[in-house]
Amino acid sequence: MDHYDSQQTNDYMQPEEDWDRDLLLDPAWEKQQRKTFTAWCNSHLRKAGTQIENIEEDFRDGLKLMLLLEVISGERLAKPERGKMRVHKISNVNKALDFIASKGVKLVSIGAEEIVDGNVKMTLGMIWTIILRFAIQDISVEETSAKEGLLLWCQRKTAPYKNVNIQNFHISWKDGLGFCALIHRHRPELIDYGKLRKDDPLTNLNTAFDVAEKYLDIPKMLDAEDIVGTARPDEKAIMTYVSSFYHAFSGAQKAETAANRICKVLAVNQENEQLMEDYEKLASDLLEWIRRTIPWLENRAPENTMHAMQQKLEDFRDYRRLHKPPKVQEKCQLEINFNTLQTKLRLSNRPAFMPSEGRMVSDINNAWGCLEQAEKGYEEWLLNEIRRLERLDHLAEKFRQKASIHEAWTDGKEAMLRQKDYETATLSEIKALLKKHEAFESDLAAHQDRVEQIAAIAQELNELDYYDSPSVNARCQKICDQWDNLGALTQKRREALERTEKLLETIDQLYLEYAKRAAPFNNWMEGAMEDLQDTFIVHTIEEIQGLTTAHEQFKATLPDADKERLAILGIHNEVSKIVQTYHVNMAGTNPYTTITPQEINGKWDHVRQLVPRRDQALTEEHARQQHNERLRKQFGAQANVIGPWIQTKMEEIGRISIEMHGTLEDQLNHLRQYEKSIVNYKPKIDQLEGDHQLIQEALIFDNKHTNYTMEHIRVGWEQLLTTIARTINEVENQILTRDAKGISQEQMNEFRASFNHFDRDHSGTLGPEEFKACLISLGYDIGNDPQNYITVDELRRELPPDQAEYCIARMAPYTGPDAVPGALDYMSFSTALYGESDL
């Protein structure tokens, strides 16, 4: 085992483990074992004319198991039981297991009952034990046997093959090259091993399996997909399948050894003859290649462009890098073959080899020396020529760059200098154009150096005989001609700009004077039109008289205004004369103003038309204000009578409600007579409403003749009616309360006296503070609230329930969490104190 590491091999060759642990199979391994063991069993059972389909089912009765052992051992077993009962099946399996044990095989944890029950793991373990005993155990190679011997045999047979390294019976076979190498080693005509690829394991495995089944009578025991798809193929399945190769090739190996000895002598002679033929052909091809290459290297025809010369240099580098190295290898191989051939002939006692004339090793060396000399001269010429063209290309590129920069700068310059934009420009634009032109003249002068450099480079290219000198000269001449033309156009444009500037300065002064006088005059006309068209709103005679006086003053200024208008139009006419005389093409209007003479004349005419219209409007408004004044006086006279009358009646009713003259019935009768007199006053109110409607239709909003408005009169009248009605109702309710509660007239008088006493502001109602003081005076213990509010809790605590809730409701709304801030009138006050639960 000189090409193996003995220590690594010994480490790998571990003894078979007990089947108690082997029963814990990986599902992928179990699948591989099923297929492999089934195929191995069928390869032997078919000799007896039968086979199995399901390995754990078909061996359960023990019959095919006993038949398998008879076929592979060549011995007869005990007569099997033909019954179909379980006991018969167990008896048959035991006979098979006893036979296996008689062959020196130790069965661990494998019993007949597990096989009869179809225990797949035990069944596979039993079949593996049979395979080890009858297919692998007898294998012996160089003092190693069984598994180690089979592995060594595989290693020896596949050692010469590339990409094959058999170290075990699992992952070493995954790429399929190991199986193909075994077949090719013994039957090379069956597989073209050179076409196999290590990165295509499925093709390699399927090729080996198909060839073994078709030509070697080895059944297909494995699936290529299962092996490739499993990280570590099942070792027992691989060993079983590989052992079939060993048995298939072991018989043919002996015959092969004898045949090799007979053919060896013939092969040596054939090899020597082939070496001679190869030398002659290789020498001829090499000399022919040298003969063709030297003229190419001696060609010194120059190129005009750097690109073409660089291509020559690249071709030469390709020759050095790609074409010559194989020829160097051929020359070296030729010398090696020649020396090897002479050695073999000398060892075989054969005469030395003498090549054909001109094909000796010395001839080839001489030709090779001439080739290298041509190479050296060609390389030196290439480098010198490239340096020369590099200098020319540098100058030409420099010329092109400077010419391109100059041409890019001059692009559009002639069109710019020829344009007559100054003919339609304003004065400010002309001044800007002059400054821009001065900047251009400075830029033009700065480009003089570049033009001179371009001409100098073109001259140098001509002196160096540049191949493209005609195009360079043409371009240089075009640049020089264009430069002269730019100079002439620049001077012409400057003169035109300066002439136009003088004319426009004169016009600009006139424009400025026109604008200074036109603007205020235009503002005066617009103000006048606005005043004349203003929709005035007046309310008095004095106001309309003031407007009339102002209008008369305005009409007095019209003659002076007309003189100013004519002076402004004269300035514009002077500008028109200059434009016509000197043929100035005015691009726009006056830059200082947008006011045109037409606009001035139009507004002046409009002002003249608006004056009489304003006269008529003021006259009409004066008549209307006289009519409105009459309406104000008429309304004021009536309102000044009715307003005080209503106020007087309100005060009288208040006194009646407070004073206590006579009985309640007497007060009620008095109030009803008073109410009748108030109602009889209604026609005067209606008459005042009619006068007010006339004032509204005339849109009169103020009246200096009275302080009373119709709204004040209406509100006072409604309050008067409401007050008299409420006072009457209050007296009626007092009568009802008195009668219902049995209160005497003296008590009623006392209530009124208490109410009047605490009604300090004589408002007719008790505020929170007044009501609280009144309650305290009557004996009710009301808390001392700092806000002078009567709280809900205080009222409910001190007053009867119905009275308290009535009082709370009348004094709402609340302004605090529990406060009752409202005021109570006399009726509510009486009800709250003395009760009216039926209300």
Side-chain angles (χ1 to χ4, degrees), residues 53-67:
E53 297 296 335
N54 192 318
I55 197 167
E56 69 267 23
E57 292 292 334
D58 294 346
F59 285 142
R60 290 179 63 181
D61 58 5
L63 295 177
K64 288 188 178 180
L65 178 58
M66 295 176 68
L67 180 60

mmCIF file of all heavy atoms in Angstrom, residues 53-67:
data_model
loop_
_atom_site.group_PDB
_atom_site.id
_atom_site.type_symbol
_atom_site.label_atom_id
_atom_site.label_comp_id
_atom_site.label_asym_id
_atom_site.label_seq_id
_atom_site.Cartn_x
_atom_site.Cartn_y
_atom_site.Cartn_z
ATOM 1 N N GLU A 53 -40.202 -9.085 -4.406
ATOM 2 C CA GLU A 53 -40.638 -7.725 -4.692
ATOM 3 C C GLU A 53 -40.476 -6.817 -3.468
ATOM 4 O O GLU A 53 -40.033 -5.698 -3.558
ATOM 5 C CB GLU A 53 -42.109 -7.717 -5.131
ATOM 6 C CG GLU A 53 -42.384 -8.474 -6.407
ATOM 7 C CD GLU A 53 -41.690 -7.848 -7.617
ATOM 8 O OE1 GLU A 53 -41.410 -6.634 -7.568
ATOM 9 O OE2 GLU A 53 -41.431 -8.579 -8.596
ATOM 10 N N ASN A 54 -40.855 -7.358 -2.297
ATOM 11 C CA ASN A 54 -40.804 -6.596 -1.037
ATOM 12 C C ASN A 54 -39.962 -7.379 -0.055
ATOM 13 O O ASN A 54 -40.338 -8.481 0.352
ATOM 14 C CB ASN A 54 -42.220 -6.392 -0.493
ATOM 15 C CG ASN A 54 -42.244 -5.383 0.634
ATOM 16 O OD1 ASN A 54 -41.379 -5.403 1.484
ATOM 17 N ND2 ASN A 54 -43.253 -4.512 0.639
ATOM 18 N N ILE A 55 -38.823 -6.828 0.326
ATOM 19 C CA ILE A 55 -37.832 -7.593 1.070
ATOM 20 C C ILE A 55 -38.335 -8.023 2.435
ATOM 21 O O ILE A 55 -37.990 -9.102 2.926
ATOM 22 C CB ILE A 55 -36.516 -6.799 1.177
ATOM 23 C CG1 ILE A 55 -35.367 -7.716 1.571
ATOM 24 C CG2 ILE A 55 -36.664 -5.635 2.155
ATOM 25 C CD1 ILE A 55 -34.004 -7.087 1.384
ATOM 26 N N GLU A 56 -39.166 -7.200 3.109
ATOM 27 C CA GLU A 56 -39.613 -7.599 4.435
ATOM 28 C C GLU A 56 -40.837 -8.517 4.382
ATOM 29 O O GLU A 56 -41.149 -9.206 5.359
ATOM 30 C CB GLU A 56 -39.913 -6.367 5.304
ATOM 31 C CG GLU A 56 -41.115 -5.555 4.890
ATOM 32 C CD GLU A 56 -40.747 -4.423 3.957
ATOM 33 O OE1 GLU A 56 -39.669 -4.547 3.309
ATOM 34 O OE2 GLU A 56 -41.490 -3.455 3.866
ATOM 35 N N GLU A 57 -41.557 -8.534 3.233
ATOM 36 C CA GLU A 57 -42.737 -9.385 3.124
ATOM 37 C C GLU A 57 -42.392 -10.765 2.542
ATOM 38 O O GLU A 57 -42.881 -11.796 3.010
ATOM 39 C CB GLU A 57 -43.782 -8.688 2.249
ATOM 40 C CG GLU A 57 -44.387 -7.422 2.877
ATOM 41 C CD GLU A 57 -45.235 -7.745 4.076
ATOM 42 O OE1 GLU A 57 -45.759 -8.881 4.148
ATOM 43 O OE2 GLU A 57 -45.352 -6.869 4.958
ATOM 44 N N ASP A 58 -41.529 -10.789 1.510
ATOM 45 C CA ASP A 58 -41.293 -12.038 0.779
ATOM 46 C C ASP A 58 -40.415 -13.020 1.537
ATOM 47 O O ASP A 58 -40.307 -14.205 1.148
ATOM 48 C CB ASP A 58 -40.643 -11.712 -0.581
ATOM 49 C CG ASP A 58 -41.609 -10.941 -1.472
ATOM 50 O OD1 ASP A 58 -42.802 -10.904 -1.143
ATOM 51 O OD2 ASP A 58 -41.167 -10.367 -2.488
ATOM 52 N N PHE A 59 -39.734 -12.579 2.611
ATOM 53 C CA PHE A 59 -38.927 -13.511 3.421
ATOM 54 C C PHE A 59 -39.636 -13.933 4.712
ATOM 55 O O PHE A 59 -39.065 -14.651 5.528
ATOM 56 C CB PHE A 59 -37.589 -12.846 3.799
ATOM 57 C CG PHE A 59 -36.614 -12.778 2.642
ATOM 58 C CD1 PHE A 59 -35.791 -11.677 2.463
ATOM 59 C CD2 PHE A 59 -36.516 -13.831 1.736
ATOM 60 C CE1 PHE A 59 -34.906 -11.613 1.405
ATOM 61 C CE2 PHE A 59 -35.621 -13.769 0.684
ATOM 62 C CZ PHE A 59 -34.820 -12.668 0.505
ATOM 63 N N ARG A 60 -40.888 -13.522 4.906
ATOM 64 C CA ARG A 60 -41.569 -13.779 6.175
ATOM 65 C C ARG A 60 -41.862 -15.262 6.394
ATOM 66 O O ARG A 60 -41.809 -15.739 7.530
ATOM 67 C CB ARG A 60 -42.876 -12.974 6.242
ATOM 68 C CG ARG A 60 -42.640 -11.470 6.376
ATOM 69 C CD ARG A 60 -43.917 -10.696 6.421
ATOM 70 N NE ARG A 60 -44.705 -11.050 7.599
ATOM 71 C CZ ARG A 60 -45.901 -10.529 7.882
ATOM 72 N NH1 ARG A 60 -46.423 -9.631 7.053
ATOM 73 N NH2 ARG A 60 -46.546 -10.875 8.972
ATOM 74 N N ASP A 61 -42.169 -16.009 5.288
ATOM 75 C CA ASP A 61 -42.457 -17.452 5.478
ATOM 76 C C ASP A 61 -41.194 -18.292 5.496
ATOM 77 O O ASP A 61 -41.231 -19.504 5.735
ATOM 78 C CB ASP A 61 -43.407 -17.943 4.404
ATOM 79 C CG ASP A 61 -42.854 -17.734 2.995
ATOM 80 O OD1 ASP A 61 -41.690 -17.286 2.867
ATOM 81 O OD2 ASP A 61 -43.586 -17.997 2.026
ATOM 82 N N GLY A 62 -40.024 -17.679 5.230
ATOM 83 C CA GLY A 62 -38.750 -18.391 5.303
ATOM 84 C C GLY A 62 -38.420 -19.208 4.085
ATOM 85 O O GLY A 62 -37.283 -19.687 3.945
ATOM 86 N N LEU A 63 -39.338 -19.411 3.150
ATOM 87 C CA LEU A 63 -39.100 -20.306 2.003
ATOM 88 C C LEU A 63 -38.075 -19.700 1.050
ATOM 89 O O LEU A 63 -37.090 -20.351 0.672
ATOM 90 C CB LEU A 63 -40.429 -20.557 1.274
ATOM 91 C CG LEU A 63 -41.496 -21.328 2.092
ATOM 92 C CD1 LEU A 63 -42.788 -21.447 1.314
ATOM 93 C CD2 LEU A 63 -40.973 -22.704 2.474
ATOM 94 N N LYS A 64 -38.306 -18.434 0.623
ATOM 95 C CA LYS A 64 -37.349 -17.827 -0.307
ATOM 96 C C LYS A 64 -36.034 -17.525 0.382
ATOM 97 O O LYS A 64 -34.987 -17.475 -0.255
ATOM 98 C CB LYS A 64 -37.943 -16.557 -0.895
ATOM 99 C CG LYS A 64 -39.062 -16.842 -1.886
ATOM 100 C CD LYS A 64 -39.511 -15.587 -2.598
ATOM 101 C CE LYS A 64 -40.596 -15.922 -3.632
ATOM 102 N NZ LYS A 64 -41.068 -14.738 -4.359
ATOM 103 N N LEU A 65 -36.058 -17.335 1.700
ATOM 104 C CA LEU A 65 -34.819 -17.108 2.437
ATOM 105 C C LEU A 65 -33.957 -18.366 2.407
ATOM 106 O O LEU A 65 -32.736 -18.311 2.177
ATOM 107 C CB LEU A 65 -35.153 -16.708 3.879
ATOM 108 C CG LEU A 65 -33.963 -16.468 4.810
ATOM 109 C CD1 LEU A 65 -33.056 -15.372 4.261
ATOM 110 C CD2 LEU A 65 -34.441 -16.113 6.209
ATOM 111 N N MET A 66 -34.584 -19.522 2.622
ATOM 112 C CA MET A 66 -33.836 -20.790 2.566
ATOM 113 C C MET A 66 -33.330 -21.040 1.144
ATOM 114 O O MET A 66 -32.198 -21.495 0.940
ATOM 115 C CB MET A 66 -34.733 -21.933 3.031
ATOM 116 C CG MET A 66 -35.153 -21.830 4.514
ATOM 117 S SD MET A 66 -36.298 -23.123 5.011
ATOM 118 C CE MET A 66 -35.218 -24.565 4.907
ATOM 119 N N LEU A 67 -34.161 -20.718 0.131
ATOM 120 C CA LEU A 67 -33.745 -20.905 -1.258
ATOM 121 C C LEU A 67 -32.564 -20.015 -1.590
ATOM 122 O O LEU A 67 -31.620 -20.442 -2.278
ATOM 123 C CB LEU A 67 -34.931 -20.594 -2.182
ATOM 124 C CG LEU A 67 -34.684 -20.740 -3.690
ATOM 125 C CD1 LEU A 67 -34.280 -22.192 -4.032
ATOM 126 C CD2 LEU A 67 -35.914 -20.328 -4.496
#
